[in-house]
Amino acid sequence: MYPYYFKLALISLRKTPMLSLLMVMMIAIGIGATMTTYTVSYMMSKDPIPNKSAHLFQVQLDSMDEIYGDGKTLPTMISYQDAQALLDSDVPKYQVAIAAIQQRVSHEANRHLTPKSLKVRTTTSDFFSMFETPFLYGSGWSKQDGKDAAQIAVLSKETNSWLFNGENSVGKTFKLGADTYRVVGVLDSWDPLPKYYALPHTAFTKPHDLFIPFNTQVKNELFSQKLVSNYCWKKPDDESFSSLLTSECMWVIFWVELPSKKIHQQYQSFIDNHALVQQSLGRFQNRIYNKLVPLKQYLIDEEVVSDDSKMAVWLAALFLVVCLLNCMSLMIAKFHAKAGEVGLRRAIGASQQDIIKQFSIELSVVGTVGGLLGLLFAKIGLISAANTYSYLHSDLMQMNAPLIIGTVVLAVISSLTFGLYPIIRASQMQPSSQLKSL
Amino acid sequence: MLVMKSLAKAFYTDDIKTQALHPFDLTIQQGEFVSIIGPSGSGKTTFLNIAGLLETHSSGLYTLDGKDVAELSDKQKSAYRNEKIGFVFQSFNLIPELTLYDNVDMPLRYRRFNREQRHQRIMQALEQIGLATRKDHYPTQLSGGQQQRVAIARAIAGTPTVIFADEPTGNLDSKMAQGIMSLLKDINTSGTSVIMVTHDNTQATQANRVIQIKDGQLSEYSQSQQAIA
């Protein structure tokens, strides 16, 4: 019967083209607006590394001698001296200290290439394994090279294209500030969304242009205040870089991968012991309160998906409801006009269920066309949003397959939900009263 | 086949009760051709709607083929209307967007016949009314008489036991009306009961039994000479 109902649906829609168009447009506009905002919100909040997000934890230490915030939250950074102490642990599968600098980069041999000031991620060797970065050429640096503060780097694909025309640049050198660095690896396209490992306000920007060892930053005394969140609850002794390293200033982000509960417990003990030792040395005076924040919790705590974004989704959903209510009134008008046909079909043997099925198919067709058109509207909305907010990650404005399917399904379910009342009402009327209107 | 005992129908509007049909007894046997006559507003169509299961009665007993219709669910009533009853209306009630073929096909679809069975029945019905060659035409391309023939084809395609015809010639001129009457008589001759509402006494007397409704009261009017088929 369903192919028959489908045929009847097409005939019915052709019979009232203007009404059908209005219904489709109502659904399409509502769906388009909702899915535009929902896509951005969904892409913001999706799990950036689903295969291991449950095992990634950010280390947060209360090294202060005062209450921070509401007493429950802690800074998302730790001090350099704590980072160095934690790096000595062999409990985590991987552990990564992260900071950032901005430096002038140039090609040693190619004088025609205009130097650029690039953002440089400084990190430890586990970074590439822990965050599963894909490599186009070479690899990350070894633990030893990291410890030795070697003048080596991993380039992003874009930086390699700019510096070395996209060729395999492993072994080649370039200038970072005044120093020469050797390329050990080139990343393939890698654009995690959100960029979970760094500061929350940079979650929807591209990864930095190149990566150098954390210790190399320290050795060369490189520091860019504007690229790190440096929380100095206690002033350093002086302005020097060495004072920064021994100070209580918190500017290093620290992540660990803990593959099991047992290892998690071991590592919690390790950082608590570290805090106790430090307490005996006069630090950590406030309390022993150290947290291993799971990645997903970190994204929630840091409000990577802003309340404004969530509010926009609710407002768009409300708009969809308004559109659907309008559509519902059109459907009531349509089914009122079709009362005679309903009466006739009931008279010749259609049950209430047959009528509901027939018109549900018609509504599904309206919903599907509305959904497809809504998809187009959402795409246009996302393109214009991408143009307006060009500094944001372009993937935020992309619908993936589940969202595309979800859009059409939502349109069909919405139109069925809101069209069900007029259909049921029409099917429950006495056929004799409807027959008069054919 | 059709037995009504103390059957009555009343409509209620706010606190006002309108007795459309006063309690009456009626039995119609299989194969009868019965005319229902009476002035406008007398309750003829209400009677037909109740008899055709398009409307429920207020009180009394109505059995169709031995089954108390009050006990039938909506689905069962729909199945009864589909299998045992055929309707012919004054204004034809064809769907203008569907071809003659598809209009006749409608009740067969709800019978869940397969494509071949439906095609056979549709063509047989269209041939019986003489419009098989115009199966792909639309109702608006036909005259009133032809449209009513298609409505009859739709009613008989499912080989019902009874046809309820509500003023089937009301919108037709006398020549076309006579053609429709002949068709109904032919159908009756083949064993299908026909219960026809009309306000035309000449046509009414072509039936083998005439029932008069006046102010909601039913009474036997006369007995025609025509033998029960």
Side-chain angles (χ1 to χ4, degrees):
Chain A
M1 284 297 271
Y2 287 102
Y4 176 61
Y5 292 147
F6 182 70
K7 178 185 163 185
L8 292 177
L10 295 183
I11 290 171
S12 171
L13 295 175
R14 273 203 303 264
K15 186 185 174 186
T16 52
M18 206 54 211
L19 198 61
S20 306
L21 183 70
L22 276 173
M23 289 198 296
V24 165
M25 288 302 285
M26 285 284 179
I27 294 169
I29 291 169
I31 289 287
T34 305
M35 291 314 291
T36 302
T37 50
Y38 181 72
T39 298
V40 175
S41 182
Y42 171 81
M43 297 305 274
M44 277 178 165
S45 57
K46 74 173 192 166
D47 190 340
I49 182 164
N51 55 324
K52 62 157 64 174
S53 60
H55 302 140
L56 297 183
F57 299 86
Q58 190 187 60
V59 181
Q60 297 179 358
L61 307 177
D62 187 356
S63 59
M64 298 164 285
D65 59 4
E66 59 188 31
I67 292 291
Y68 176 78
D70 61 1
K72 290 177 186 169
T73 56
L74 288 173
T76 56
M77 302 79 58
I78 61 175
S79 68
Y80 172 77
Q81 51 181 323
D82 288 324
Q84 284 299 353
L86 297 190
L87 282 169
D88 285 338
S89 172
D90 55 3
V91 177
K93 184 179 179 187
Y94 297 119
Q95 52 191 336
V96 169
I98 294 173
I101 54 171
Q102 183 140 13
Q103 282 289 297
R104 188 180 162 88
V105 175
S106 60
H107 196 288
E108 277 190 312
N110 187 354
R111 304 267 177 217
H112 298 294
L113 199 69
T114 311
K116 278 186 187 175
S117 178
L118 297 184
K119 288 175 183 170
V120 181
R121 176 67 64 206
T122 66
T123 185
T124 47
S125 58
D126 283 352
F127 181 93
F128 306 101
S129 306
M130 185 158 154
F131 298 133
E132 298 179 339
T133 59
F135 275 89
L136 196 59
Y137 306 116
S139 63
W141 53 82
S142 66
K143 268 193 171 33
Q144 196 56 50
D145 279 344
K147 275 184 185 167
D148 295 347
Q151 305 270 107
I152 50 178
V154 168
L155 306 182
S156 72
K157 192 177 178 183
E158 290 77 16
T159 306
N160 187 56
S161 295
W162 169 65
L163 268 177
F164 301 107
N165 291 321
E167 293 167 5
N168 185 350
S169 57
V170 174
K172 293 183 178 174
T173 57
F174 65 97
K175 285 272 187 189
L176 182 72
D179 299 319
T180 299
Y181 282 70
R182 177 171 54 84
V183 178
V184 294
V186 176
L187 292 183
D188 203 346
S189 301
W190 183 60
D191 223 351
L193 182 67
K195 199 176 72 189
Y196 51 94
Y197 56 83
L199 295 170
H201 69 269
T202 64
F204 302 109
T205 57
K206 283 182 170 297
H208 287 0
D209 306 297
L210 60 139
F211 302 77
I212 64 167
F214 182 66
N215 282 356
T216 309
Q217 173 195 3
V218 173
K219 183 190 78 179
N220 292 332
E221 299 191 357
L222 303 170
F223 193 74
S224 300
Q225 186 73 40
K226 66 174 185 176
L227 287 188
V228 290
S229 182
N230 187 12
Y231 178 57
C232 290
W233 59 272
K234 190 175 174 184
K235 277 198 168 182
D237 295 338
D238 56 50
E239 298 286 308
S240 68
F241 190 78
S242 57
S243 291
L244 176 72
L245 299 183
T246 54
S247 73
E248 292 293 349
C249 289
M250 303 160 101
W251 54 277
V252 182
I253 300 168
F254 205 90
W255 288 93
V256 287
E257 182 175 338
L258 308 170
S260 68
K261 268 193 175 175
K262 191 179 165 190
I263 295 174
H264 183 280
Q265 283 169 353
Q266 284 176 0
Y267 193 69
Q268 184 70 52
S269 301
F270 169 79
I271 57 174
D272 288 345
N273 281 336
H274 165 74
L276 282 167
V277 170
Q278 293 301 310
Q279 201 172 46
S280 67
L281 296 172
R283 299 180 66 225
F284 288 72
Q285 290 303 299
N286 186 30
R287 56 184 171 168
I288 302 298
Y289 182 61
N290 308 307
K291 288 164 76 175
L292 293 170
V293 183
L295 170 58
K296 281 186 179 173
Q297 190 59 47
Y298 167 74
L299 296 175
I300 294 166
D301 291 349
E302 294 306 314
E303 295 180 347
V304 168
V305 182
S306 68
D307 287 344
D308 288 351
S309 170
K310 289 175 192 164
M311 180 65 82
V313 174
W314 282 112
L315 285 174
L318 203 65
F319 179 64
L320 173 64
V321 171
V322 172
C323 288
L324 288 169
L325 284 172
N326 274 303
C327 191
M328 189 177 177
S329 66
L330 294 174
M331 287 170 187
I332 290 172
K334 187 177 175 78
F335 288 119
H336 183 73
K338 289 177 89 75
E341 182 185 334
V342 172
L344 174 68
R345 289 188 179 277
R346 298 276 286 128
I348 60 173
S351 64
Q352 287 181 7
Q353 284 178 352
D354 287 324
I355 297 297
I356 291 171
K357 280 179 196 167
Q358 178 189 334
F359 291 111
S360 295
I361 295 294
E362 187 171 334
L363 283 176
S364 301
V365 172
V366 171
T368 305
V369 177
L372 292 172
L373 198 61
L375 209 58
L376 183 70
F377 287 168
K379 187 74 187 163
I380 293 168
L382 289 169
I383 290 170
S384 60
N387 288 334
T388 310
Y389 305 103
S390 55
Y391 56 89
L392 290 176
H393 200 298
S394 60
D395 280 1
L396 278 178
M397 317 299 173
Q398 297 289 334
M399 292 180 98
N400 58 16
L403 278 174
I404 289 171
I405 296 165
T407 302
V408 181
V409 170
L410 176 67
V412 173
I413 290 174
S414 307
S415 45
L416 279 176
T417 306
F418 281 76
L420 213 58
Y421 167 69
I423 292 176
I424 291 174
R425 207 177 70 155
S427 72
Q428 286 176 336
M429 288 181 77
Q430 292 263 26
S432 58
S433 62
Q434 294 170 311
L435 275 166
K436 292 167 191 161
S437 54
L438 189 72
Chain B
M1 181 196 75
L2 185 154
V3 179
M4 293 170 166
K5 284 183 181 166
S6 303
L7 196 91
K9 175 71 180 178
F11 294 106
Y12 294 88
T13 312
D14 296 327
D15 292 333
I16 302 165
K17 179 183 176 185
T18 308
Q19 193 71 39
L21 290 172
H22 292 279
F24 65 91
D25 292 342
L26 179 70
T27 301
I28 296 173
Q29 301 297 337
Q30 180 64 43
E32 275 193 284
F33 191 150
V34 180
S35 288
I36 314 286
I37 59 166
S40 293
S42 59
K44 300 189 299 290
T45 301
T46 302
F47 167 79
L48 204 70
N49 285 339
I50 292 169
L53 309 183
L54 297 175
E55 205 167 312
T56 52
H57 54 279
S58 306
S59 61
L61 177 72
Y62 171 26
T63 59
L64 186 62
D65 277 352
K67 185 81 184 171
D68 182 359
V69 298
E71 291 174 1
L72 297 176
S73 66
D74 174 74
K75 206 169 179 178
Q76 287 170 320
K77 276 186 190 169
S78 300
Y80 258 65
R81 285 195 296 264
N82 186 252
E83 292 169 23
K84 296 183 184 296
I85 299 171
F87 287 101
V88 179
F89 303 99
Q90 181 178 359
S91 51
F92 325 134
N93 286 24
L94 299 173
I95 305 284
E97 300 80 34
L98 299 180
T99 62
L100 307 191
Y101 187 96
D102 288 338
N103 266 288
V104 178
D105 187 29
M106 282 167 59
L108 307 179
R109 290 276 184 173
Y110 298 114
R111 195 87 162 260
R112 308 296 196 261
F113 283 133
N114 64 32
R115 180 195 284 260
E116 201 176 316
Q117 287 170 322
R118 291 199 324 269
H119 179 73
Q120 203 178 346
R121 282 170 176 267
I122 295 164
M123 292 314 295
Q124 198 178 335
L126 286 173
E127 274 161 19
Q128 195 171 342
I129 61 156
L131 288 171
T133 54
R134 302 187 68 178
K135 66 182 173 63
D136 294 325
H137 286 214
Y138 288 89
T140 47
Q141 295 172 296
L142 305 181
S143 68
Q146 287 171 323
Q147 287 190 46
Q148 193 60 296
R149 282 173 172 274
V150 177
I152 291 171
R154 183 180 62 197
I156 62 173
T159 53
T161 54
V162 59
I163 284 181
F164 291 104
D166 188 3
E167 304 269 15
T169 60
N171 285 354
L172 305 176
D173 61 36
S174 57
K175 195 179 169 189
M176 284 180 178
Q178 194 46 53
I180 295 298
M181 284 305 297
S182 301
L183 193 54
L184 288 174
K185 277 194 274 186
D186 288 347
I187 292 164
N188 178 242
T189 308
S190 64
T192 306
S193 304
V194 177
I195 299 171
M196 178 182 73
V197 162
T198 182
H199 60 270
D200 187 324
N201 284 0
T202 317
Q203 285 173 5
T205 51
Q206 293 182 45
N208 48 31
R209 187 175 164 198
V210 179
I211 290 165
Q212 186 180 34
I213 302 182
K214 198 173 180 185
D215 298 330
Q217 305 271 9
L218 262 79
S219 59
E220 293 283 342
Y221 180 70
S222 68
Q223 197 76 25
S224 80
Q225 299 304 309
Q226 195 174 334
I228 296 172

